[in-house]
Structures are given as structure tokens and as C-alpha cells.
Amino acid sequence: MKGIAVSKGVAIGKAYLLDSARFCIIRHQIDELEAEKEVARFRKAIEKTKLQMAEIKKRAKKIAAKYAVILDTYSLLLDDDILVNDTIENIKKYKTNAEWALTQTLNNFLKLFSNINDEYLKGKKDDLDLLVQTILKNLIGHSQESLPDIQEPVIVVTHSLSPSDTIMMPKKFVKGMVTEAGGKTSHVGIFAAALGIPAITGIKGLTSSIVSGDQIIVDGIDGEVITSPTSETLQHYTKKQENYRKYEERLLVDIHQSAETLDGHQVKLLANIESKQEVKTLRKFGAEGVGLYRTEFLYLATSTLPKERDLYENFKLVAQEMNPNPVVIRTLDIGMDKQFDNARNSDEDNPALGLRGIRLSLANPQLLTDQVKGILRASLYGDVKILYPMISSVTEIIQANKIVEDAKNDLKKERIPFNEEIEIGVMIETPAAAICIDHILKEVDFISIGTNDLIQYLLAVDRMNENIAHLYQPFHLSVLRSLKNIIQSAEDTGKKVSICGELGGDPMATMLLLGLGKLDNLSMESRSIPKVKKIIRAIRLDEARQLANDVLAMSSPEEITSFITNEMRTRFPEDFDRDPSFEEKLDSARK
Ligand code: PEP
Ligand code: MG
């Protein structure tokens, strides 16, 4: 099965089909008073499930009315007194937690159904089961998934994986990930690459053709999943896995040398992180700072809003660990693929164009205030900078700056010290910001280009949609022209410019990006740094400029992509021709 390779490497192991996983419910004994609270908690979970079902139904209606009618079954079951009343009775009678009481109700129902030989009613049994799993999920809290149940090395196979699922993953046991949904820049890929786990997204029909326990191979180099391999195939991929490991080891040999072209032009290579845990491994890959801290994952990992103090402590740790290198902390970029229960943006028809990024922060100023205060307090412990996401006008920058000023004044009143000169930058990831870059630059200390979103919005291609993944073309001329204009404008005003989207960490693009203009930093998933550095150290800037000029004269994305691919493959055969026989050729050449 072919998909989109989003994290390199080869994994061989047992499949773990996430969608078929269930919760393990434990019985807790409670007293009379607690029983009342448990009943209230259960009712709340029912209400929440009803809202979710209504939302699913709304979406289903857009596909076909018939599907929406099928979903009515769920709503009817939720209004069914038997399911609700029996569970409440169980809580009171057995004095137990709601989860266990609900499971008892379900089991009783299932027993009844098992004696009935009617296809229609058997279908109802599945509906009920699914519904109970959803209520359980709401009772337990959205951050607890069945992923932590994994106790042995597995390859996770699932339709889709939410950012909170990904966070809860027992990392030491997950050897590979494959999903049906998701495109080239989905967060699954970003996470997997950060952890060094091979991953593939966008494989249709995946979950129906794999069963938990099947032996599978995930080839994150060529984007293939192989099921039930023969011993010959297995041997081939074991070799490929080993070769890739050796290649990665070789890349690390000169990791602490600077990223400087043969003719002496330096670019700083920084890391993108999603959690403070990652910071410890950054130096190993040669990161010279954090160019993008995606803080939204701090919010997605819990069901309550993190407090100013939690945020401060988290940021302080990262700043201290990286000091004296820079740490760019991006304010909350919730929305689109990163939804959060407490933020009021889950009811949108078009979330990519909705209340996301800075828009959400400006609509909930307290969110931004708490976060900014945490960042300001941490600024004493390193070279900390603030970055606003999803900016589309100078007005938003001015409004956000006002909140930062107010936060500074509050801290001063409380006599809490911070770096008064803290730099503030913005992400350039909307066409509006790219086109009005001259005005934006006047309001900021630096800019960071978010190519993931910039490409999506420029090309009108949803970055998460696997059906149009082939149209998500980073080497589209409109993207390259925009990048050139943004980088050039920053250079003209003397403001620093970084690229922090996936393109910045794609070695295939490195030479071209350098050729587009004077880049100060490239920020990427840390494991990409060694390869990008290797390329920078092997090229001359005038060659890169020539390459960029050649490319900018071409018109079709396919022509540009094939030109770049050929050019890079010729220049760096070891790095781009990841044909497994390559290592053998190399070995025999050495001999
Ligand atoms: C981007 O859009 O390129 C980016 C770096 O931000 P995110 O992927 O978190 O949207
Ligand atoms: Mg973005």
C-alpha cells in the first residue's frame, strides 16, 4: 500500500489497530456523597456526547441526508431512559464510579442482544457499543486515550491521530505509525519525525486491510506499507533499515560545525519543538537554538487551561537549557487541525479560515495575557523571543502588542522582573501578510515564514486533505516568488528572516531556498538538521543563486520539482537516492 512518507526510516513489527482498542475500566468504591457527584458527572458526559453527535450529524448532512438519519439512532439511544437510568441506578446501588456503572449497563444490554437472532438488532448492538465508548471517552477526559495501554513494541495503524492522541503515545513502544488520513504536513508526521519514528499518512482503506497483530513493514523512505511479508521481503527491508541507520550515524559525525557554504555564508539551523521534553536531545543534532516552540501542545495535552505559572516554568526550563542560544516561543496557534475543547472555535464550517492563531488569542485576550506573562517571566533565563501566528494585517500585530504592553505593566506593578527589550516577531503564513510584507516588517523585530500554511493558503489546497495531497506543491512558482519577495524585503529593512515550515527542513529544498535570498535561520524538526547542514556545507552561494534563477524562469510546478530533484540527486547521490542497494554499492566502492 502506497502513501505519503512523512517521517523517514524503516519499521518492522506487529500492527496495533488503534480504532479497535477499548478502554480498560477499573471499579472504584465511593461513598453516598460522592455517588451524587458521580451522577452529575455522568449526566454531564451524556450532554457532551449529545452535542458531539449533533455536530457529527451536521457534518454528515452535508454528505448525504441518508447518513444523517442513521446517526439519529445514536441520539435516540442517548435519550433512552434505560441507558441513562440504569447507569445512574448502578452508581447508587453499587456505589461505584460512573465508568464502571456504565460498562455494567452495557454488558447487561449486550447479554440481552446476544440471545436475539435479528440482523437489525445486532446492528443496534454495535451502535450502542460505539456510543458507550464515546461516553466513556468523555467521562475519562479527552486526553486519555487507549494509546497508553500499549505495552510492547508496535506499529500504530489508525484512521487518524489527534495531536492529543499523539502526545499520549508511549513513545518507547511505538516503532512506526501509519494513518489513513493526513497529508504531507499533518502533525502526525511532524511528531513522528521529531521522535524518529518512521511514519506514513494518506493510505486509503488501511484499517480494513490490517488486523492487530499482523506483521507489517513501514517503509518511511519510499512511503510504502507491506503486509504479511515473505521471508525474502523481510530480509530486504531489514537490510534497508540497517542501511538507513548507518547513514544517519554518518551524518552526525561533523554535527557541531557551523552551517556555512563553501564561500563563507552562514545560516543558523534551529529546531522546531512541541514540548519541553524534546529540548534535551536538540544539541545532539546540532541545533543552535529553538526557532519555533509550538506551545499549543501544552494546551492540547490537558483538559484544563494551563496557568501562567505552569507556562512560565515550562518556558523557563527550555530557555535555560538552550541559553545562550535563542528560543522563539510562538503564542497559541489553536484551530484547524489542532482543536481544543475549552476554546470556542470547534463549531466552524471552515476552521482553516476560522478563529485560529492570533485571531483566537485576540478574541480571548486572557489566553494571550497568561501566555505572554509566562514568556516574559521566562525571558530572564535566556534569549527568549515572542512569535505571533496567523497574522494577516498590521492591526493584529498592534492589538497583540497592546496586550503584551499591558502584561509588561502588570508584571512591573507586581515587581516581577523580565527582559524589557524582548523581541517580537510574526509568522508570515497568510497570503495577506506575504503581499503586505513591507508594512508588516515595520511593526516587528523579525519574521518567520510558515511555509506549511503559506503553501496551503496560496494554492488553496488543504494541507490535511489526502485527496489533494498531490496538489500541495511547495515548488509551485507562486510559493517561490512569494518566498523570494519576503526574504528580499526583510533583507532590505535589515530585519532577520527565518523559515520554520516543513520546507525549511526539506534537504531537497535547501539549495534553492539559500539561492532565493539572504536567509538568517532555517528552523526545522531537529532530526533534519544534519542532512540540511551537510548540503549547506557542500555548496557555494553563487551556485545556489544560479539554481534559484533557473527555477524562477520555469512555469509548471512539475517542471520545477523534477529539475530540483534531478539537480539534487546528481549533486548528492548518497542523500537522495535512498535505494537500499546503494549502501552495498558504497561498501564495495570503499573496498
Ligand atoms: C507553518 O504553518 O509553516 C508552521 C510552521 O506552523 P504550523 O505547522 O504549526 O501551522
Ligand atoms: Mg502555521
Side-chain angles (χ1 to χ4, degrees), residues 199-376:
I200 301 177
T201 61
I203 302 189
K204 290 211 177 73
L206 173 78
T207 53
S208 48
S209 35
I210 292 176
V211 179
S212 278
D214 278 359
Q215 187 178 42
I216 61 168
I217 299 170
V218 178
D219 176 358
I221 299 166
D222 291 318
E224 276 169 352
V225 173
I226 296 102
T227 51
S228 314
T230 61
S231 61
E232 239 170 51
T233 312
L234 207 56
Q235 218 176 2
H236 171 83
Y237 281 98
T238 310
K239 186 96 192 149
K240 192 168 180 176
Q241 185 179 43
E242 177 58 13
N243 286 345
Y244 191 73
R245 200 186 53 72
K246 278 198 213 153
Y247 164 77
E248 281 195 314
E249 264 173 26
R250 274 203 308 281
L251 280 177
L252 288 179
V253 174
D254 291 329
I255 200 60
H256 294 296
Q257 289 180 310
S258 62
E260 187 177 313
T261 59
L262 293 170
D263 45 353
H265 295 272
Q266 260 197 37
V267 182
K268 277 212 172 345
L269 301 187
L270 311 173
N272 291 353
I273 62 168
E274 271 93 38
S275 73
K276 67 174 196 274
Q277 281 83 352
E278 284 171 70
V279 93
K280 293 233 173 333
T281 60
L282 300 186
R283 288 193 206 279
K284 179 175 148 202
F285 298 108
E288 298 168 272
V290 170
L292 173 66
Y293 185 179
R294 290 183 162 101
T295 57
E296 48 279 5
F297 291 90
L298 291 172
Y299 293 73
L300 294 163
T302 63
S303 50
T304 52
L305 283 173
K307 305 220 164 41
E308 179 194 317
R309 175 153 206 98
D310 308 328
L311 296 164
Y312 156 61
E313 276 165 6
N314 187 301
F315 301 153
K316 175 181 165 185
L317 195 136
V318 177
Q320 279 175 326
E321 190 72 35
M322 294 315 290
N323 200 26
N325 290 321
V327 173
V328 180
I329 304 179
R330 180 172 75 181
T331 62
L332 199 57
D333 187 19
I334 294 281
M336 206 184 81
D337 59 323
K338 296 165 282 194
Q339 294 291 350
F340 178 58
D341 275 2
N342 287 12
R344 55 176 187 90
N345 67 341
S346 51
D347 190 24
E348 295 184 319
D349 283 343
N350 206 342
L353 304 182
L355 194 61
R356 66 167 293 206
I358 199 70
R359 302 167 183 181
L360 182 73
S361 293
L362 293 175
N364 297 269
Q366 194 56 45
L367 268 179
L368 189 59
T369 301
D370 286 350
Q371 201 174 21
V372 164
K373 282 188 179 172
I375 302 175
L376 286 171

Side-chain angles (χ1 to χ4, degrees), residues 323-486:
N323 200 26
N325 290 321
V327 173
V328 180
I329 304 179
R330 180 172 75 181
T331 62
L332 199 57
D333 187 19
I334 294 281
M336 206 184 81
D337 59 323
K338 296 165 282 194
Q339 294 291 350
F340 178 58
D341 275 2
N342 287 12
R344 55 176 187 90
N345 67 341
S346 51
D347 190 24
E348 295 184 319
D349 283 343
N350 206 342
L353 304 182
L355 194 61
R356 66 167 293 206
I358 199 70
R359 302 167 183 181
L360 182 73
S361 293
L362 293 175
N364 297 269
Q366 194 56 45
L367 268 179
L368 189 59
T369 301
D370 286 350
Q371 201 174 21
V372 164
K373 282 188 179 172
I375 302 175
L376 286 171
R377 291 173 64 183
S379 67
L380 280 187
Y381 300 90
D383 182 13
V384 173
K385 302 173 203 284
I386 299 177
L387 180 67
Y388 304 143
M390 275 296 288
I391 289 292
S392 48
S393 76
V394 287
T395 314
E396 286 165 335
I397 306 176
I398 293 165
Q399 286 169 343
N401 282 347
K402 168 85 175 60
I403 294 177
V404 174
E405 279 314 308
D406 290 346
K408 283 183 175 177
N409 289 334
D410 284 354
L411 291 182
K412 277 185 204 157
K413 272 188 219 141
E414 293 167 55
R415 296 184 185 282
I416 297 174
F418 59 90
N419 171 16
E420 302 226 15
E421 303 301 313
I422 192 164
E423 286 185 15
I424 301 181
V426 297
M427 299 272 302
I428 304 298
E429 52 184 346
T430 65
I435 292 168
C436 298
I437 190 67
D438 48 338
H439 290 290
I440 302 262
L441 279 162
K442 288 184 194 143
E443 305 295 330
V444 300
D445 296 313
F446 66 95
I447 56 167
S448 193
I449 311 174
T451 48
N452 302 342
D453 279 312
L454 187 60
I455 297 168
Q456 130 164 301
Y457 296 125
L458 274 176
L459 304 184
V461 173
D462 181 348
R463 63 192 256 196
M464 302 290 293
N465 185 339
E466 65 279 10
N467 296 326
I468 45 170
H470 61 288
L471 295 176
Y472 188 92
Q473 292 163 315
F475 295 142
H476 194 290
L477 192 58
S478 64
V479 175
L480 303 180
R481 279 186 182 169
S482 297
L483 290 177
K484 187 177 166 67
N485 181 45
I486 298 166

Side-chain angles (χ1 to χ4, degrees), residues 102-275:
L102 175 62
T103 316
Q104 282 306 104
T105 312
L106 175 70
N107 290 344
N108 290 339
F109 267 79
L110 294 185
K111 255 187 242 154
L112 270 179
F113 276 115
S114 66
N115 298 327
I116 300 170
N117 218 356
D118 177 303
E119 279 315 304
Y120 173 77
L121 286 175
K122 272 192 180 157
K124 284 274 155 294
K125 183 176 120 179
D126 292 338
D127 288 344
L128 186 68
D129 198 3
L130 201 142
L131 187 66
V132 168
Q133 296 306 317
T134 314
I135 306 170
L136 281 174
K137 201 166 158 182
N138 287 330
L139 271 172
I140 290 165
H142 86 295
S143 61
Q144 180 174 347
E145 295 288 353
S146 44
L147 275 165
D149 293 346
I150 299 173
Q151 298 289 341
E152 55 171 359
V154 291
I155 292 171
V156 171
V157 175
T158 177
H159 173 72
S160 54
L161 212 54
S162 71
S164 45
D165 284 337
T166 324
I167 277 182
M168 297 303 289
M169 249 178 19
K171 296 167 186 72
K172 68 175 177 187
F173 291 131
V174 177
K175 300 295 171 205
M177 291 198 274
V178 204
T179 67
E180 288 183 342
K184 200 165 172 13
T185 69
S186 82
H187 282 273
V188 173
I190 296 172
F191 261 100
L195 299 170
I197 301 171
I200 301 177
T201 61
I203 302 189
K204 290 211 177 73
L206 173 78
T207 53
S208 48
S209 35
I210 292 176
V211 179
S212 278
D214 278 359
Q215 187 178 42
I216 61 168
I217 299 170
V218 178
D219 176 358
I221 299 166
D222 291 318
E224 276 169 352
V225 173
I226 296 102
T227 51
S228 314
T230 61
S231 61
E232 239 170 51
T233 312
L234 207 56
Q235 218 176 2
H236 171 83
Y237 281 98
T238 310
K239 186 96 192 149
K240 192 168 180 176
Q241 185 179 43
E242 177 58 13
N243 286 345
Y244 191 73
R245 200 186 53 72
K246 278 198 213 153
Y247 164 77
E248 281 195 314
E249 264 173 26
R250 274 203 308 281
L251 280 177
L252 288 179
V253 174
D254 291 329
I255 200 60
H256 294 296
Q257 289 180 310
S258 62
E260 187 177 313
T261 59
L262 293 170
D263 45 353
H265 295 272
Q266 260 197 37
V267 182
K268 277 212 172 345
L269 301 187
L270 311 173
N272 291 353
I273 62 168
E274 271 93 38
S275 73

